[in-house]
Amino acid sequence: MSAAEHFSHSYAEARRRFLDAARAAGATLTAREHPLKGPDGETLATDIARIGPADAARILGIGSGTHGVEGYCGSGVQTALLSEGFARDLPEDTAVLFIHAINPYGFAFDRRVNEDNVDLNRNFLDHTKPHPENPGYEELADAINPRDISAEALAESREKMKAYADKHGHRAMQHALSAGQYTHPDGVQYGGREPVWSNRTLRGILREDMGAAARIIFVDIHSGLGARGAGEMICTDSEASGSFKRMREWWGPIVRSTVDGDSISSNVPGSIPVCFAEELKGREVTAGGLEFGTVPIREVTVALQADNWLHQNGGHKNPKAREVGKMIRDAFYVDADDWKEAVTAQTRDVCAAALRGLQA
């Protein structure tokens, strides 16, 4: 069976395929059930499949669905790796932990965000302290969140964002649009005002399933930025950090730092590596996002705007819900065999190198 055959067309199908593959691989399964249901009343959950000893000193974690709809990519890759027997012959005292659908609500409803309209990868910060400011977003809020998704409104939005980029530069425009904001709960890239369900759930998984390990590598699979099918390992630490140096040693030039400005991603506050650092203090933790390109960034931006407009106008009950859902799914998941094979092969190589790195 080719890797492409392990990808799915819905969250429910993806969960079933993942669980079947995990059982066939002899994994130990646990689940954290979400309090809400899916669009057809199905159970939503973050599922954990463990292969290797419960008290392993070295753990490789592979995550999917942090950004909901990106789970189409990550889940397919996880299921393919399990089905291929990726973790069949592990080194001594080593385990692999597959964390499936970290944001199951977004995955099930074809949204990048969660049930609170929160971008999970902006939520892992100390909410008792003042939240980061994003003055560029404040200036562009009306353009980033247009009044409707007509051709005229979107054209006006593009003109305003282009004018901002011409004045402040492309990186400043990218930061305004994607670095997160904490002032517009119904807006794009909202980071929330408190830890959301997926945040709390992931922290519990780390404590319970990784707390005994001394060395941890976490590869969180994402999609939507970069050239079609090309992978970048995003490091949220500077190039001078130990984590960046380890990542470069294991994975080479595909590793880029958001801090030093050469990553396809902005330097984002409250991302998942923060959670790993906090919950696994005293261990050697190396956590990053493996990002795969899909379609041109303009199409991704329009899809995010359309999704946010839908959220403000009835959500999945709106007559345009199916149309907008397909738009955002197509922006973050390329339903083509060559793309699926490419992202699976690259993830397989990254994870194999990670297992070698854990033994060093």
Side-chain angles (χ1 to χ4, degrees):
M1 180 180 287
S2 69
E5 295 178 65
H6 296 290
F7 289 71
S8 301
H9 295 93
S10 69
Y11 163 77
E13 181 187 7
R15 186 184 188 213
R16 175 182 58 77
R17 284 175 175 263
F18 173 79
L19 294 176
D20 287 348
R23 292 188 187 101
T28 300
L29 282 166
T30 54
R32 306 297 199 280
E33 189 170 323
H34 195 283
L36 301 178
K37 298 294 184 182
D40 296 315
E42 68 270 34
T43 295
L44 304 178
T46 296
D47 292 290
I48 305 98
R50 185 188 192 100
I51 299 178
D55 59 350
R58 295 179 288 268
I59 293 179
L60 167 62
I62 306 170
S64 71
T66 295
H67 283 140
V69 70
E70 297 177 25
Y72 285 101
C73 171
S75 172
V77 171
Q78 288 176 316
T79 302
L81 294 182
L82 280 164
S83 299
E84 294 170 0
F86 169 79
R88 183 180 297 125
D89 299 310
L90 292 174
E92 186 179 354
D93 207 16
T94 302
V96 176
L97 201 72
F98 295 86
I99 307 177
H100 182 267
I102 295 172
N103 169 14
Y105 183 94
F107 192 170
F109 282 93
D110 287 334
R111 298 204 72 201
R112 190 170 176 271
V113 294
N114 80 333
E115 62 276 10
D116 306 304
N117 198 49
V118 167
D119 184 312
L120 184 59
N121 230 20
R122 313 290 187 273
N123 188 247
F124 292 98
L125 40 68
D126 187 347
H127 293 280
T128 66
K129 296 179 179 179
H131 287 89
E133 296 180 352
N134 187 342
Y137 186 97
E138 298 299 327
E139 183 175 338
L140 290 169
D142 290 341
I144 294 172
N145 305 285
R147 64 186 183 278
D148 57 55
I149 52 174
S150 65
E152 295 78 14
L154 291 175
E156 182 181 339
S157 167
R158 285 194 299 272
E159 288 178 9
K160 290 180 179 178
M161 288 192 282
K162 181 180 183 302
Y164 185 91
D166 289 343
K167 181 178 180 180
H168 299 283
H170 171 73
R171 294 294 295 185
M173 177 63 242
Q174 183 183 13
H175 185 86
L177 180 63
S178 64
Q181 54 85 17
Y182 299 84
T183 53
H184 298 262
D186 285 334
V188 171
Q189 307 286 11
Y190 178 56
R193 306 293 293 185
E194 62 184 10
V196 297
W197 181 88
S198 292
N199 180 333
R200 302 190 304 272
T201 298
L202 182 60
R203 288 180 184 274
I205 292 169
L206 300 191
R207 291 191 296 268
E208 295 173 30
D209 294 280
M210 295 188 177
R215 304 188 74 201
I216 300 101
I217 298 175
F218 184 66
V219 177
D220 198 25
I221 303 171
H222 288 261
S223 55
L225 294 177
R228 184 184 187 275
E232 177 182 305
M233 177 59 73
I234 299 171
C235 177
T236 57
D237 295 320
S238 74
E239 293 180 357
S241 67
S243 58
F244 181 87
K245 291 175 180 176
R246 290 192 298 272
M247 292 166 80
R248 267 292 169 96
E249 180 182 352
W250 301 331
W251 300 315
I254 69 166
V255 179
R256 302 290 180 88
S257 167
T258 60
V259 177
D260 295 305
D262 65 347
S263 172
I264 53 175
S265 172
S266 294
N267 189 26
V268 173
S271 59
I272 273 186
V274 173
C275 169
F276 275 77
E278 291 176 349
E279 298 298 334
L280 300 171
K281 289 180 180 178
R283 287 84 161 179
E284 182 191 277
V285 178
T286 311
L290 181 54
E291 181 87 34
F292 292 107
T294 51
V295 296
I297 191 63
R298 175 171 167 175
E299 294 179 37
V300 174
T301 301
V302 170
L304 289 172
Q305 291 177 305
D307 170 70
N308 190 258
W309 171 86
L310 186 72
H311 164 70
Q312 296 184 44
N313 290 274
H316 65 279
K317 297 179 181 179
N318 188 299
K320 285 185 172 288
R322 186 179 297 274
E323 174 188 341
V324 173
K326 183 178 186 307
M327 184 185 299
I328 197 161
R329 189 166 60 249
D330 289 347
F332 291 95
Y333 171 57
V334 181
D335 191 7
D337 286 358
D338 67 317
W339 187 85
K340 298 171 191 176
E341 297 289 345
V343 300
T344 302
Q346 290 171 80
T347 307
R348 186 188 303 116
D349 289 345
V350 162
C351 291
L355 285 177
R356 293 192 295 271
L358 281 174
Q359 313 310 311

